[in-house]
Amino acid sequence: MMAFATTGDDEHAPLLSNRLLARLTIGVAVLASLTIGISLVGRMLGERIALAGHTENAEPVDVIIGQDQIRLPANVIRFEDQRQTGRAERVDLYLTWPEMQGYTNVQRSRFNDGNRPESLIFLNLSQSTMSKDMSGRLEPIYSHLFDGHTELGPAALTLRHLKENTGYGGEVFFTGTLPDGSPYAVRCMMPTDEAQSTSADCQRDIHIGRDLSVLYRFSSRLLPQWQAMEARVRDYLGQSFVQNGRLVATARGR
């Protein structure tokens, strides 16, 4: 068997060369950077997923619909692609009830919890396509569809059933009189069990501004507050109109 002699230099040579140490150091640094990057991206994605399309940004957005310009905080506009200044065919809003405020992280549960439909109301703004709003259509159109049977509804409202084959399915109307003496009407699909109530049980449309139509939807649990809701929706939007670059209070409706 052949034997190989070793030198003193071989016996004291480092187990890891300087080059290998440098490579390992660079590798560790790269892995650390990747870890930090993944953590940051994960946090950003997590926050985005948690927001689920919501925003806390309350910067004003000027939207022009038809002949009306209206200024709204970004966090009351429901969909991200609608949060931009300029002309639009429609804008969808959501507001806490009764505070009439947009999304905040503090109120996150109210925007995400489907079991609390009475916490929010939803508004759709678009240009008017009809000369009369729901109250204006009550006498010339809806009154001919009622079957004549009435019941006492919440907060002085009258429940009216529709004739069969009118095309309204299982919907009913509630009618009443507003404090200024004008008629009030709202369409509802009443749940068989209050626990099954949704944020779209009832809907009503009004005209406001020059030719802006506002369709607002709410839970049937809020019917007892119909007068307060009508006033707050009109007041909130009435104070949001813009003329010559400035906010101006407009008439509450017509």
Side-chain angles (χ1 to χ4, degrees):
M1 180 179 293
M2 295 180 62
F4 293 92
T6 60
T7 65
D9 290 340
D10 291 333
E11 293 177 356
H12 296 286
L15 295 176
L16 298 175
S17 68
N18 290 335
R19 179 178 297 180
L20 184 55
L21 282 173
R23 289 179 178 175
L24 287 174
T25 301
I26 293 172
V28 170
V30 170
L31 287 174
S33 298
L34 286 173
T35 301
I36 294 172
I38 292 171
S39 177
L40 291 174
V41 171
R43 184 179 302 174
M44 292 171 63
L45 287 174
E47 291 175 353
R48 192 173 184 84
I49 291 171
L51 284 172
H54 307 307
T55 181
E56 281 197 292
N57 181 11
E59 290 295 317
V61 177
D62 282 14
V63 181
I64 301 171
I65 300 175
Q67 301 180 56
D68 295 287
Q69 181 175 345
I70 192 164
R71 181 170 296 164
L72 301 161
N75 66 339
V76 308
I77 300 177
R78 188 177 177 191
F79 301 115
E80 185 175 358
D81 61 353
Q82 295 179 347
R83 298 178 192 132
Q84 51 187 331
T85 293
R87 187 167 292 279
E89 292 186 3
R90 59 177 283 170
V91 177
D92 297 278
L93 314 180
Y94 50 5
L95 295 156
T96 58
W97 177 261
E99 301 89 351
M100 301 294 284
Q101 295 176 354
Y103 177 86
T104 63
N105 281 331
V106 174
Q107 300 291 351
R108 178 188 304 172
S109 62
R110 296 175 67 176
F111 285 81
N112 294 333
D113 188 354
N115 294 319
R116 299 173 59 192
E118 72 279 5
S119 294
L120 300 176
I121 61 173
F122 294 82
L123 287 71
N124 166 250
L125 313 184
S126 61
Q127 188 173 13
S128 299
T129 57
M130 292 182 284
S131 60
K132 298 181 181 295
D133 61 12
M134 187 170 285
S135 289
R137 300 192 299 271
L138 179 59
E139 181 58 33
I141 298 176
Y142 299 136
S143 64
H144 301 288
L145 304 178
F146 299 147
D147 66 4
H149 176 64
T150 64
E151 298 176 30
L152 183 63
L157 287 174
T158 299
L159 170 62
R160 299 180 182 273
H161 295 271
L162 294 155
K163 298 175 183 177
E164 294 184 5
N165 303 320
T166 56
Y168 285 89
E171 293 180 88
V172 297
F173 274 75
F174 288 92
T175 61
T177 303
L178 290 162
D180 64 0
S182 60
Y184 172 90
V186 61
R187 288 169 51 189
C188 295
M189 177 71 77
M190 299 299 290
T192 54
D193 183 349
E194 185 177 315
Q196 299 175 346
S197 174
T198 73
S199 58
D201 292 341
C202 299
Q203 66 177 41
R204 167 172 166 78
D205 64 84
I206 60 175
H207 287 172
I208 191 171
R210 294 177 179 173
D211 68 344
L212 192 67
S213 176
V214 181
L215 173 69
Y216 67 89
R217 297 180 287 112
F218 57 93
S219 167
S220 55
R221 299 176 189 176
L222 296 177
L223 277 170
Q225 302 178 56
W226 64 274
Q227 290 193 48
M229 187 178 304
E230 178 82 2
R232 292 190 184 186
V233 167
R234 289 184 179 273
D235 287 343
Y236 181 87
L237 294 175
Q239 296 172 19
S240 302
F241 284 89
V242 176
Q243 290 182 9
N244 300 320
R246 300 178 60 183
L247 286 171
V248 293
T250 190
R252 291 180 60 186
R254 66 181 191 273

